[in-house]
């Protein structure tokens, strides 16, 4: 279907990737340089964190007013890209489960011990059907009692034993 | 929550190296992430002068050492799953540490505590006054009940159970009778195999040297049959009595709990409902109370009777024949264990079926409720496809569960039947060798079957108990929440409020660490009409909420006629305030009942007057049953603007001293609005009115306007003054292109 919007970069303020630089300043906060404009400190957000994590990265001023967006983080130079992804990792923290060590169940609640890309972690979940969501085939997101989410991008990439444990409960 | 957590021993040396003594530490909290975002602790420690970030893992090291004096404020930024704490000083941001959402709350509070520490040199004690939001049981690691904060497994069951039993206290005499009937019934049950034994051994196949003549045996047969008939009739009568009494007892207790619960719910504060979903609270009144009734009125008597039966059977079989008795009793635990394990497995599967069911229902619900949107966007096929996908999933899971059921159940029943086989063999041997009579063997077989009931009861008892206790705790959580503080000691009665309203440096947040109103001050004279203006989310409704005392200010005070609102008798206050809320609500009931809600004894004329003033009379008359037309849920559909007008009529009829209109006419056309306003002008003479509106023309009759931005008052004055100032209000007016019109009215 034809879009009603002409490709109008100014309307949603898409920044020209070649003119966009993101620098990490002393103290750890980021600075955005776009053409002649300089913004510091800034915040970065994803517009589609689950479905398109690399696209439409939004830059905000410290008071949450939008500065602009880049369409694809990969269009930026290596340093800016790295800085942005590091920053997003802080405010969009979803450990990836690599292995399930054990799961214990009781009255519908569960305790888990898993190995993630952030290290070993134990957590608890309430009723499974509320806390374990299958986004699409084999892509699972588990939410623990603290509201922290753990992701399994592809269930088939887990070791066999983990798959067996998971298969028994979901 | 404590902002001073216990430091691990390894850090002591490090702190000593910095010349920091234990008593210098004002704040010490642990985050669960390190710099790289790995699950590993990081400490934030503050003294009067310094701020340290310490990484204790491996070789403990100080990652960051800052002087507090140079920092002006702190902020915890929270995203999804994680966040960070930053310090700011003249435009510079310094990242302190990372955390996950599990500890985010702590750092949010720490940010405000550190800010105060940097400015005032101390952390005010009230900043810590929040209870710990524990989510999992510290003992077993399993989640706590989200509402009551109690662990179903580890919490002492005795207390809750005793409290639950207190509900049946008034019915002790009934219960006593029930228990006697129960004992009697059990006795009947236990006796009947014995009668069969005697019937067999004396009348059917008597043994011994002298066999009685047939006539005697016939008489015996008849009398045993009659006896059994008598027992049967007796049991039946007992059953009828018992069931009737259970029904009575269970339902009366249920009614008691429900009524008490609902009454209590009505008196809880508005903020109680902010934190909970209506559905969740509703299910306490409906489902949880039913669970209690089921437990009290059905499970307890059942368990009790099964226990008595178990004892009775054991006593009888042990006295009959010790060796065979052991054969009856010993397999029981094994059968119980197997039943439980298989039962769990199957329960699991059926739970999954139930889950798929709710997914099907969700599609059904959203597609049917949104049928107009579905059709408008021509998405019928997509919805149908989605439904069929979910339905197929449900079907497959159901098939699976039922097949498993079909596979597991027959072996289980075979097992149930296997114990009698043992009895047949070993008991039969004794019969053949003459050490046991046929009658006794028969009795044993009967007892083995009879034991299945108590065995199953035992397998379920834990489940039932836990379910009931969870429900009980949820119900008690509500009953234990203190009701809205109606009146403080020495509350001042105010039979007639003049209508002076004053805010003095009011700071308020629904969450006290995130203020929504900042230092708001204003004064309103009796009879003044005040317009509140500001962007969506600015805090207009919040100001109204404070005037109604739905919430209380954290700092500063709200005064009514010069008296702190907390000291005014709540009933007097609410009786003289009427509010037309942003989302006008109509109850299920007639138009008349809805209008007279705040004044049930209003005369018909008053009701019509009020409706007229709200410009509602005409549309009401055109409803099929006029003022008696049912509206609200299941009633006649009325439009948004009509609903608003009924809410206005309700407020006017209450004849309040202070009237609050929160976007009260946002959904009616300008012409109707003008008519309502004229009527209000007339009726509201001498009353204080607060009106909120985004359509600024609505506020044209306001004496003064208060402009709010981000929870602060930015402008205040008459319409003319504000226009002359060319400030925010001026901009707003210009934007709305009402300029010419309003200037014409104003100038
Ligand atoms: N019950 C609540 N619990 C927590 N936060 C709330 C609650 N009600 C409102 N807020 C928040 O408080 C802020 C002010 O809300 P308020 O309802 O006072 O705005 P408003 O000026 O009436 O806006 P609108 O014009 O959209 O009605 C908003 O940021 C809102 O998200
Ligand atoms: Mg509002």
């Amino acid at each position: 279907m034809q879009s009603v919007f002409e490709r109008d970069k100014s309307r949603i303020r898409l920044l020209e990737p070649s003119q966009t630089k993101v620098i990490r300043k002393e103290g750890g906060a980021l600075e955005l340089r776009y053409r002649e404009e300089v913004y510091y400190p800034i915040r970065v957000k994803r517009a589609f964190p689950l479905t398109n994590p690399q696209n439409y990265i939004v830059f905000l001023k410290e008071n949450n007013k939008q500065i602009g967006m880049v369409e694809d983080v990969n269009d930026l130079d290596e340093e800016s890209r790295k800085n942005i992804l590091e920053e997003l990792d802080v405010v969009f923290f979803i450990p990836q489960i690599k292995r399930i060590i054990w799961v214990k169940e009781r009255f519908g609640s569960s305790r888990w011990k898993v190995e993630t890309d952030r290290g070993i972690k134990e957590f608890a979940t309430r009723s499974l059907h509320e806390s374990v969501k299958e986004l699409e085939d084999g892509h699972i997101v588990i939410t623990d009692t603290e509201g922290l989410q753990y992701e399994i991008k592809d269930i088939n990439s887990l070791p066999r034993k983990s798959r067996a444990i998971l298969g028994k409960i979901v | 929550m404590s902002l001073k957590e216990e430091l691990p021993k390894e850090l002591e040396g490090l702190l000593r190296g910095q010349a920091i003594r234990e008593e210098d530490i004002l704040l010490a909290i642990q985050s669960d992430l390190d710099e790289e975002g790995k699950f590993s602790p990081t400490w934030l420690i503050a003294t009067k002068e310094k701020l340290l970030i310490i990484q204790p893992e491996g070789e403990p090291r100080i990652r960051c050492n800052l002087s507090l004096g140079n920092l002006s404020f702190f902020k915890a930024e929270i995203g999804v799953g994680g966040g960070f704490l930053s310090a700011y000083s003249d435009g510079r941001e310094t990242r302190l540490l990372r955390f996950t959402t599990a500890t985010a709350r702590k750092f949010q509070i720490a940010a405000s505590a550190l800010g105060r520490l940097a400015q005032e040199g101390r952390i005010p004690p009230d900043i810590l006054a929040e209870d710990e939001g524990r989510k999992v049981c510290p003992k077993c690691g399993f989640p706590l009940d989200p509402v009551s904060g109690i662990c179903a497994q580890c919490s002492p069951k005795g207390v809750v159970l005793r409290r639950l039993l207190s509900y049946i206290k008034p019915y002790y005499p009934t219960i006593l009778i029930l228990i006697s009937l129960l004992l009697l019934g059990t006795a009947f049950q236990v006796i009947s195999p014995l009668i069969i034994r005697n019937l067999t051994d004396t009348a059917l196949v008597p043994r011994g040297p002298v066999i009685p003549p047939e006539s005697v045996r016939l008489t015996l047969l008849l009398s045993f049959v009659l006896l059994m008939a008598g027992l049967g009739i007796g049991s039946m009568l007992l059953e009828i009595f018992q069931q009737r009494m259970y029904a009575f007892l269970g339902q009366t207790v249920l009614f008691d709990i429900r009524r008490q619960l609902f009454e209590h719910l009505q008196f809880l504060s508005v903020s109680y409902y902010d934190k909970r979903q209506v559905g969740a609270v509703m299910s306490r009144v409906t489902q949880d109370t039913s669970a209690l009734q089921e437990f009290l009125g059905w499970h307890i008597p059942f368990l009790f009777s099964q226990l008595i039966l178990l004892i009775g059977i054991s006593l009888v079989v042990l006295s009959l024949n010790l060796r065979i008795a052991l054969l009856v009793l010993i397999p029981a635990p094994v059968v119980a264990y197997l039943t439980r394990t298989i039962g769990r497995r199957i329960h699991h599967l059926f739970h999954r079926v139930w889950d798929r069911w709710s997914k099907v229902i969700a599609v059904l619900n959203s597609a049917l409720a949104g049928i107009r949107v579905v059709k408008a966007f021509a998405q019928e096929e997509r919805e149908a496809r989605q439904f069929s996908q979910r339905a197929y999933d449900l079907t497959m899971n159901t098939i699976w569960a039922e097949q498993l059921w079909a596979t597991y159940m027959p072996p289980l029943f075979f097992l149930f039947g296997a114990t009698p086989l043992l009895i047949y063999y070993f008991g039969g041997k004794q019969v053949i060798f003459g050490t046991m009579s046929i009658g006794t063997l028969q009795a044993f077989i009967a007892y083995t079957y009879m034991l299945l009931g108590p065995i199953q009861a035992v397998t379920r008892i834990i489940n039932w108990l836990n379910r009931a206790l969870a429900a009980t705790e949820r119900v008690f959580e509500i009953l234990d929440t203190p009701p809205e503080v109606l009146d403080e000691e020495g509350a001042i009665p105010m039979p007639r409020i003049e209508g002076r309203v004053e805010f003095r440096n009011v700071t308020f947040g629904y969450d006290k660490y995130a203020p929504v109103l900042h230092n708001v001050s204003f004064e309103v004279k009796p009879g003044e009409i005040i317009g509140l203006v500001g962007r969506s989310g600015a805090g207009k409704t919040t100001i109204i909420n404070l005037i109604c005392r739905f919430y209380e200010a954290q700092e500063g005070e709200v005064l009514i006629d010069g008296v702190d609102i907390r000291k005014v008798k709540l009933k007097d206050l609410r009786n003289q305030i009427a509010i037309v809320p942003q989302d006008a609500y109509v109850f299920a009931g007639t138009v008349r009942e809805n209008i007279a809600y705040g004044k049930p004894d209003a005369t018909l004329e008053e009701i019509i007057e009020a409706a007229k003033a709200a410009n509602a009379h005409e549309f009401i008359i055109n409803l099929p049953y006029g003022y008696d037309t049912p509206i609200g849920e299941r009633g006649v559909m009325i439009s948004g603007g009509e609903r608003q007008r009924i809410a206005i009529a309700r407020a006017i009829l209450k004849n309040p001293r202070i009237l609050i209109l929160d976007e009260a006419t946002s959904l009616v056309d300008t012409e109707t609005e003008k008519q309502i306003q004229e009527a209000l002008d007339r009726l509201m003479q001498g009353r204080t009115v607060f009106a909120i509106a985004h359509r600024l023309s609505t506020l044209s009759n306001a004496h003064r306007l208060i402009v709010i931005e981000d929870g602060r008052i930015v402008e205040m004055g008459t319409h003319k003054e504000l226009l002359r100032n060319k400030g925010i209000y001026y901009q707003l007016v210009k934007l709305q292109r009402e300029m010419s019109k309003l200037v014409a009215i104003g100038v």
Side-chain angles (χ1 to χ4, degrees), chain A residues 27 43 87 91 93 118 170, chain B residues 39 80 88 93 95 140 352:
Chain A
R43 303 273 176 262
E87 183 79 354
V91 287
F93 183 82
R118 315 300 179 122
V170 290
Chain B
F39 290 117
V80 175
Y88 296 82
E93 177 183 346
R95 297 284 166 91
C140 66
R352 181 143 72 179

Side-chain angles (χ1 to χ4, degrees), chain B residues 274 510-511 516 534-543 545 551 582 662-663 692 694:
Chain B
D274 277 352
Y510 294 95
D511 171 351
V516 171
R535 245 189 279 268
S536 178
K540 304 178 296 290
T541 303
T542 308
I543 290 182
N545 283 340
Y551 303 87
Q582 208 158 5
D662 191 349
E663 290 284 354
I692 299 176
H694 285 294

Side-chain angles (χ1 to χ4, degrees), chain B residues 336-355:
Chain B
Y337 174 77
L338 283 174
T339 316
R340 190 166 150 76
T341 338
I342 293 176
R344 261 193 186 167
R345 197 68 213 268
I346 288 176
H347 173 80
H348 204 93
L349 280 177
F350 277 98
H351 186 83
R352 181 143 72 179
V353 169
W354 173 80
D355 174 56

